[in-house]
Coordinates of all heavy atoms in Angstrom, one line a residue:
M241 N 116.6 79.0 78.9 CA 116.8 80.4 79.0 C 116.1 80.9 80.3 O 115.1 80.5 80.7 CB 116.1 81.1 77.8 CG 116.2 82.5 77.7 SD 115.9 83.2 76.1 CE 114.2 83.7 76.2
A242 N 116.8 81.9 80.9 CA 116.3 82.4 82.2 C 115.1 83.3 81.9 O 115.0 84.0 80.9 CB 117.4 83.2 82.9
A243 N 114.2 83.4 82.9 CA 113.1 84.3 82.9 C 113.6 85.7 82.8 O 114.5 86.1 83.5 CB 112.2 84.1 84.1
P244 N 112.9 86.6 82.0 CA 113.4 88.0 81.9 C 113.1 88.8 83.1 O 113.8 89.8 83.3 CB 112.6 88.5 80.7 CG 111.4 87.6 80.6 CD 111.8 86.3 81.1
V245 N 112.2 88.4 84.0 CA 111.9 89.2 85.2 C 112.3 88.4 86.4 O 112.0 87.2 86.5 CB 110.4 89.5 85.2 CG1 110.0 90.2 86.5 CG2 109.9 90.3 84.0
V246 N 113.0 89.0 87.3 CA 113.3 88.4 88.6 C 112.7 89.2 89.7 O 112.9 90.4 89.8 CB 114.9 88.3 88.7 CG1 115.3 87.7 90.1 CG2 115.5 87.5 87.6
V247 N 112.0 88.5 90.6 CA 111.5 89.2 91.8 C 112.2 88.5 93.0 O 112.0 87.4 93.2 CB 109.9 89.0 91.9 CG1 109.4 89.6 93.1 CG2 109.2 89.5 90.6
H248 N 112.9 89.4 93.7 CA 113.7 88.9 94.8 C 112.9 88.7 96.0 O 111.8 89.1 96.1 CB 114.9 89.9 95.1 CG 115.9 89.8 94.0 ND1 117.0 88.9 94.1 CD2 116.1 90.5 92.8 CE1 117.7 89.1 93.0 NE2 117.2 90.0 92.2
A249 N 113.5 88.0 97.0 CA 112.8 87.7 98.3 C 112.4 89.0 99.0 O 113.1 90.0 98.8 CB 113.8 86.9 99.2
P250 N 111.3 88.9 99.8 CA 110.9 90.1 100.5 C 112.0 90.5 101.5 O 112.7 89.7 102.1 CB 109.7 89.6 101.3 CG 109.2 88.4 100.6 CD 110.4 87.8 100.0
D251 N 112.2 91.9 101.6 CA 113.1 92.4 102.6 C 112.4 92.6 103.9 O 111.3 92.1 104.1 CB 113.7 93.7 102.1 CG 112.7 94.8 101.9 OD1 111.6 94.8 102.5 OD2 113.0 95.8 101.2
S252 N 113.1 93.2 104.9 CA 112.5 93.3 106.2 C 111.3 94.1 106.3 O 110.5 94.0 107.3 CB 113.6 93.8 107.2 OG 114.0 95.1 106.8
Q253 N 111.0 94.9 105.3 CA 109.7 95.7 105.2 C 108.7 95.1 104.3 O 107.6 95.6 104.1 CB 110.0 97.1 104.7 CG 110.7 98.0 105.8 CD 112.2 97.8 105.8 OE1 112.9 97.7 104.8 NE2 112.7 97.7 107.0
G254 N 109.0 94.0 103.7 CA 108.1 93.3 102.8 C 108.2 93.7 101.4 O 107.4 93.2 100.5
G255 N 109.1 94.5 101.0 CA 109.3 94.9 99.6 C 110.2 93.9 98.9 O 111.0 93.3 99.4
R256 N 109.9 93.7 97.6 CA 110.6 92.8 96.7 C 111.2 93.6 95.6 O 110.5 94.2 94.8 CB 109.7 91.7 96.2 CG 109.1 90.9 97.4 CD 108.2 89.8 96.9 NE 109.1 88.7 96.5 CZ 108.7 87.4 96.4 NH1 107.4 87.1 96.7 NH2 109.5 86.5 96.0
R257 N 112.6 93.5 95.5 CA 113.3 94.1 94.4 C 112.9 93.4 93.1 O 112.9 92.2 93.0 CB 114.8 94.1 94.6 CG 115.6 94.9 93.7 CD 117.0 95.1 94.2 NE 117.5 93.9 94.7 CZ 118.6 93.2 94.2 NH1 119.2 93.7 93.2 NH2 119.0 92.1 94.8
V258 N 112.7 94.2 92.0 CA 112.2 93.7 90.8 C 113.2 94.1 89.7 O 113.5 95.3 89.5 CB 110.8 94.2 90.4 CG1 110.3 93.7 89.1 CG2 109.8 93.9 91.5
L259 N 113.7 93.1 88.9 CA 114.6 93.3 87.8 C 113.9 92.8 86.5 O 113.2 91.8 86.6 CB 115.9 92.6 88.0 CG 116.9 93.2 89.0 CD1 116.5 92.7 90.4 CD2 118.3 92.8 88.6
A260 N 114.2 93.5 85.4 CA 113.7 93.0 84.1 C 114.9 93.1 83.1 O 115.4 94.2 83.0 CB 112.5 93.8 83.6
H261 N 115.3 92.0 82.6 CA 116.4 92.0 81.6 C 117.6 92.6 82.3 O 118.4 93.3 81.7 CB 116.1 92.7 80.3 CG 114.9 92.1 79.6 ND1 115.0 90.9 78.9 CD2 113.7 92.5 79.5 CE1 113.8 90.6 78.4 NE2 113.0 91.6 78.7
G262 N 117.8 92.3 83.6 CA 119.0 92.8 84.3 C 118.9 94.2 84.8 O 119.8 94.7 85.5
R263 N 117.9 94.9 84.5 CA 117.7 96.3 84.9 C 116.8 96.4 86.1 O 115.7 95.8 86.1 CB 117.1 97.1 83.7 CG 117.1 98.6 84.0 CD 116.5 99.3 82.7 NE 115.3 100.0 83.2 CZ 114.2 99.9 82.6 NH1 114.0 99.2 81.5 NH2 113.1 100.6 83.1
I264 N 117.2 97.1 87.1 CA 116.4 97.3 88.3 C 115.2 98.2 88.0 O 115.4 99.3 87.5 CB 117.2 97.9 89.5 CG1 118.3 96.9 89.9 CG2 116.3 98.2 90.7 CD1 119.3 97.5 90.9
L265 N 114.0 97.7 88.2 CA 112.8 98.5 88.0 C 112.3 99.2 89.2 O 111.7 100.2 89.2 CB 111.6 97.6 87.5 CG 111.9 96.8 86.2 CD1 110.7 96.0 85.8 CD2 112.3 97.7 85.1
G266 N 112.6 98.6 90.4 CA 112.2 99.2 91.6 C 111.8 98.1 92.6 O 112.2 97.0 92.5
V267 N 111.1 98.5 93.7 CA 110.7 97.6 94.7 C 109.1 97.6 94.8 O 108.5 98.7 94.7 CB 111.2 98.1 96.1 CG1 110.7 97.2 97.2 CG2 112.7 98.1 96.1
A268 N 108.6 96.4 94.8 CA 107.1 96.3 94.9 C 106.8 95.7 96.2 O 107.5 94.8 96.8 CB 106.6 95.3 93.7
Y269 N 105.7 96.2 96.8 CA 105.2 95.7 98.1 C 103.9 94.8 98.0 O 103.4 94.3 99.0 CB 104.9 96.9 99.0 CG 106.2 97.5 99.4 CD1 106.8 98.5 98.6 CD2 106.9 97.1 100.6 CE1 108.0 99.1 99.0 CE2 108.1 97.7 100.9 CZ 108.6 98.7 100.2 OH 109.8 99.3 100.5
N270 N 103.4 94.7 96.7 CA 102.3 93.8 96.5 C 102.2 93.5 95.0 O 103.0 94.1 94.2 CB 101.0 94.4 97.0 CG 100.7 95.8 96.4 OD1 100.7 95.9 95.2 ND2 100.5 96.7 97.3
A271 N 101.3 92.6 94.6 CA 101.2 92.2 93.2 C 100.8 93.3 92.3 O 101.3 93.4 91.2 CB 100.2 91.0 93.1
M272 N 100.0 94.2 92.8 CA 99.6 95.4 91.9 C 100.7 96.3 91.6 O 100.9 96.8 90.5 CB 98.4 96.1 92.6 CG 97.1 95.4 92.6 SD 96.5 94.8 91.0 CE 96.2 96.3 90.2
E273 N 101.6 96.5 92.6 CA 102.8 97.4 92.4 C 103.7 96.7 91.4 O 104.3 97.3 90.6 CB 103.5 97.7 93.7 CG 102.7 98.7 94.5 CD 103.4 99.1 95.8 OE1 104.6 98.6 96.0 OE2 102.9 99.8 96.6
L274 N 103.8 95.4 91.5 CA 104.7 94.6 90.6 C 104.1 94.8 89.1 O 104.9 95.1 88.2 CB 104.7 93.1 90.9 CG 105.4 92.2 89.9 CD1 106.8 92.6 89.7 CD2 105.2 90.8 90.3
L275 N 102.8 94.6 89.0 CA 102.2 94.8 87.6 C 102.5 96.2 87.1 O 102.8 96.4 86.0 CB 100.7 94.5 87.7 CG 100.4 93.1 87.9 CD1 98.9 92.9 88.1 CD2 100.8 92.2 86.7
D276 N 102.4 97.2 88.0 CA 102.7 98.6 87.6 C 104.1 98.8 87.1 O 104.3 99.4 86.1 CB 102.4 99.6 88.8 CG 100.9 99.7 89.1 OD1 100.1 99.4 88.3 OD2 100.6 100.2 90.3
L277 N 105.1 98.2 87.9 CA 106.5 98.3 87.5 C 106.7 97.7 86.1 O 107.4 98.2 85.3 CB 107.4 97.7 88.5 CG 107.6 98.4 89.8 CD1 108.3 97.5 90.8 CD2 108.3 99.7 89.6
L278 N 106.1 96.5 85.9 CA 106.3 95.8 84.7 C 105.7 96.5 83.5 O 106.2 96.6 82.4 CB 105.8 94.4 84.8 CG 106.5 93.5 85.8 CD1 105.8 92.1 85.8 CD2 108.0 93.3 85.4
E279 N 104.5 97.1 83.8 CA 103.8 97.9 82.7 C 104.7 99.2 82.4 O 104.9 99.5 81.2 CB 102.5 98.3 83.2 CG 101.6 99.0 82.1 CD 100.2 99.2 82.6 OE1 100.0 99.8 83.7 OE2 99.3 98.8 81.8
E280 N 105.3 99.8 83.4 CA 106.1 101.0 83.1 C 107.4 100.6 82.3 O 107.9 101.4 81.6 CB 106.6 101.6 84.5 CG 105.5 102.3 85.2 CD 105.9 102.8 86.6 OE1 107.1 102.8 86.9 OE2 105.0 103.1 87.3
A281 N 107.8 99.3 82.4 CA 108.9 98.8 81.7 C 108.6 98.4 80.3 O 109.4 97.9 79.5 CB 109.6 97.6 82.4
G282 N 107.3 98.6 79.9 CA 106.9 98.3 78.5 C 106.1 97.0 78.3 O 105.8 96.7 77.2
M283 N 105.8 96.3 79.4 CA 105.0 95.0 79.2 C 103.6 95.4 79.2 O 103.1 96.3 79.9 CB 105.4 94.0 80.3 CG 106.8 93.6 80.3 SD 107.1 92.4 81.6 CE 108.9 92.2 81.4
E284 N 102.8 94.6 78.5 CA 101.3 94.8 78.5 C 100.7 94.0 79.6 O 100.9 92.8 79.7 CB 100.8 94.4 77.1 CG 101.2 95.3 76.0 CD 100.6 94.9 74.7 OE1 99.4 94.5 74.7 OE2 101.3 95.0 73.6
R285 N 100.0 94.7 80.5 CA 99.5 94.1 81.7 C 98.6 92.9 81.4 O 98.7 91.9 82.2 CB 98.6 95.2 82.5 CG 98.2 94.7 83.8 CD 97.4 95.8 84.6 NE 98.3 96.9 84.9 CZ 98.6 97.3 86.2 NH1 98.1 96.6 87.2 NH2 99.4 98.3 86.4
E286 N 97.9 92.9 80.4 CA 97.0 91.8 80.1 C 97.8 90.5 79.7 O 97.2 89.4 79.7 CB 95.9 92.1 79.0 CG 96.5 92.6 77.7 CD 96.7 94.1 77.6 OE1 96.5 94.8 78.7 OE2 97.0 94.6 76.5
H287 N 99.1 90.7 79.3 CA 99.9 89.5 79.0 C 100.8 89.1 80.1 O 101.6 88.2 79.9 CB 100.7 89.9 77.7 CG 99.9 90.1 76.5 ND1 100.0 91.2 75.8 CD2 98.9 89.3 75.9 CE1 99.1 91.2 74.8 NE2 98.5 90.0 74.9
I288 N 100.7 89.7 81.3 CA 101.5 89.3 82.4 C 100.8 88.3 83.3 O 99.7 88.6 83.8 CB 101.9 90.6 83.3 CG1 102.7 91.6 82.4 CG2 102.7 90.1 84.5 CD1 102.8 92.9 83.1
H289 N 101.3 87.1 83.4 CA 100.7 86.1 84.2 C 101.7 85.8 85.3 O 102.8 85.3 85.1 CB 100.4 84.8 83.4 CG 99.5 85.1 82.3 ND1 98.1 85.2 82.5 CD2 99.7 85.3 81.0 CE1 97.5 85.5 81.4 NE2 98.4 85.5 80.4
L290 N 101.4 86.1 86.6 CA 102.3 86.1 87.7 C 102.8 84.6 88.0 O 103.8 84.5 88.6 CB 101.7 86.7 88.9 CG 101.3 88.1 88.9 CD1 100.7 88.6 90.2 CD2 102.5 89.0 88.5
D291 N 102.1 83.6 87.5 CA 102.5 82.3 87.7 C 103.2 81.7 86.5 O 103.5 80.5 86.5 CB 101.3 81.4 88.0 CG 100.2 81.4 86.9 OD1 100.3 82.2 86.0 OD2 99.3 80.5 87.0
D292 N 103.6 82.5 85.6 CA 104.3 82.1 84.4 C 105.8 82.0 84.7 O 106.5 83.1 84.7 CB 104.0 83.0 83.2 CG 104.7 82.6 81.9 OD1 105.5 81.7 81.9 OD2 104.5 83.3 80.9
A293 N 106.4 80.8 84.9 CA 107.8 80.6 85.2 C 108.7 81.0 84.1 O 109.9 81.3 84.3 CB 108.1 79.2 85.6
D294 N 108.2 81.1 82.8 CA 109.0 81.5 81.7 C 109.2 83.1 81.7 O 110.0 83.6 81.0 CB 108.4 81.1 80.4 CG 108.5 79.6 80.2 OD1 109.5 79.0 80.7 OD2 107.6 79.0 79.5
L295 N 108.3 83.7 82.4 CA 108.3 85.2 82.5 C 109.0 85.7 83.8 O 109.8 86.6 83.8 CB 106.9 85.8 82.4 CG 106.8 87.3 82.5 CD1 107.5 88.0 81.4 CD2 105.3 87.7 82.6
I296 N 108.6 85.1 84.9 CA 109.0 85.6 86.2 C 109.7 84.5 87.0 O 109.2 83.4 87.2 CB 107.8 86.1 87.0 CG1 107.1 87.2 86.3 CG2 108.3 86.6 88.4 CD1 105.8 87.7 86.9
D297 N 110.9 84.8 87.5 CA 111.7 84.0 88.4 C 111.5 84.5 89.8 O 112.0 85.6 90.1 CB 113.1 83.9 88.0 CG 114.0 83.1 88.9 OD1 113.4 82.3 89.7 OD2 115.2 83.2 88.8
W298 N 110.7 83.8 90.6 CA 110.4 84.2 92.0 C 111.5 83.7 92.9 O 111.7 82.5 93.0 CB 109.0 83.7 92.4 CG 107.9 84.4 91.7 CD1 107.3 83.9 90.6 CD2 107.2 85.6 92.0 NE1 106.3 84.7 90.2 CE2 106.2 85.8 91.1 CE3 107.4 86.6 93.0 CZ2 105.4 86.9 91.1 CZ3 106.6 87.7 93.0 CH2 105.6 87.8 92.1
K299 N 112.1 84.5 93.6 CA 113.2 84.1 94.6 C 112.5 84.1 96.0 O 112.0 85.1 96.4 CB 114.4 85.1 94.6 CG 115.0 85.3 93.2 CD 115.7 84.0 92.8 CE 116.5 84.2 91.5 NZ 117.0 83.0 90.9
D300 N 112.6 82.9 96.6 CA 112.1 82.8 98.0 C 110.7 83.2 98.1 O 110.4 84.2 98.8 CB 113.0 83.5 99.0 CG 114.2 82.8 99.4 OD1 114.3 81.5 99.2 OD2 115.2 83.4 99.9
G301 N 109.8 82.5 97.5 CA 108.4 82.8 97.6 C 107.8 83.1 96.3 O 108.5 83.4 95.3
G302 N 106.5 82.9 96.2 CA 105.8 83.1 95.0 C 105.1 84.4 94.9 O 105.3 85.4 95.7
A303 N 104.1 84.5 94.0 CA 103.4 85.7 93.7 C 102.6 86.3 94.8 O 102.3 87.5 94.8 CB 102.5 85.5 92.5
W304 N 102.3 85.5 95.8 CA 101.4 86.0 96.8 C 102.1 86.1 98.2 O 101.4 86.2 99.2 CB 100.1 85.1 96.9 CG 99.6 85.0 95.5 CD1 99.5 83.8 94.8 CD2 99.1 86.0 94.7 NE1 98.9 84.1 93.5 CE2 98.7 85.4 93.5 CE3 98.9 87.4 94.8 CZ2 98.2 86.2 92.4 CZ3 98.4 88.1 93.8 CH2 98.0 87.5 92.6
E305 N 103.4 86.1 98.2 CA 104.1 86.2 99.4 C 104.8 87.6 99.5 O 105.8 87.8 98.8 CB 105.1 85.1 99.5 CG 104.4 83.8 99.6 CD 105.4 82.6 99.7 OE1 106.4 82.7 100.4 OE2 105.1 81.6 99.1
W306 N 104.3 88.5 100.2 CA 104.7 89.9 100.2 C 105.1 90.4 101.6 O 105.5 91.5 101.8 CB 103.7 90.8 99.6 CG 103.6 90.5 98.2 CD1 102.6 89.6 97.6 CD2 104.3 91.0 97.1 NE1 102.8 89.6 96.2 CE2 103.9 90.4 95.9 CE3 105.4 91.8 97.0 CZ2 104.4 90.6 94.7 CZ3 106.0 92.1 95.8 CH2 105.5 91.5 94.6
G307 N 104.9 89.6 102.6 CA 105.2 90.1 104.0 C 106.7 90.2 104.2 O 107.5 89.8 103.4
P308 N 107.1 90.9 105.3 CA 108.5 91.0 105.7 C 109.2 89.7 105.8 O 108.6 88.7 106.3 CB 108.5 91.8 107.0 CG 107.1 92.4 107.1 CD 106.2 91.5 106.3
S309 N 110.5 89.7 105.5 CA 111.3 88.4 105.7 C 111.5 88.2 107.2 O 111.5 89.1 108.0 CB 112.6 88.6 105.0 OG 113.4 89.6 105.5
E310 N 111.7 86.9 107.5 CA 112.0 86.6 108.9 C 113.5 87.0 109.2 O 114.4 86.8 108.3 CB 111.8 85.1 109.1 CG 110.4 84.6 108.9 CD 109.5 85.2 109.9 OE1 109.8 85.3 111.1 OE2 108.3 85.6 109.6
P311 N 113.7 87.4 110.4 CA 115.1 87.8 110.8 C 116.1 86.6 110.8 O 115.7 85.6 110.9 CB 115.0 88.5 112.1 CG 113.6 88.2 112.6 CD 112.8 87.7 111.5

């Protein structure tokens, strides 16, 4: 089963598009903003583990890669 949250590769400004269950939540520029988006979507912050592959599918980089993408 696919992870319910997908965090896409950083864009040219360093933002990462975030989807949960196929719904776009927004763009996060750091881990705290990601946690805020997930909490706004109804997840409990204390149960979110950024390294949990069953929860989050990181595209092109992991939880601590937030800089702009290379051209």
Side-chain angles (χ1 to χ4, degrees):
M241 182 161 95
V245 176
V246 177
V247 179
H248 288 272
D251 63 21
S252 61
Q253 285 81 43
R256 299 183 78 157
R257 190 167 40 117
V258 180
L259 287 82
H261 302 285
R263 189 177 117 233
I264 298 172
L265 301 181
V267 177
Y269 290 88
N270 57 53
M272 292 304 293
E273 288 184 3
L274 172 61
L275 292 171
D276 290 343
L277 287 173
L278 296 177
E279 189 173 49
E280 288 173 15
M283 296 182 186
E284 295 182 35
R285 189 176 292 247
E286 58 270 8
H287 294 126
I288 301 170
H289 301 282
L290 299 180
D291 60 349
D292 181 355
D294 290 330
L295 176 64
I296 302 174
D297 179 12
W298 292 95
K299 303 292 187 188
D300 279 341
W304 310 115
E305 296 180 37
W306 293 94
S309 62
E310 295 295 320

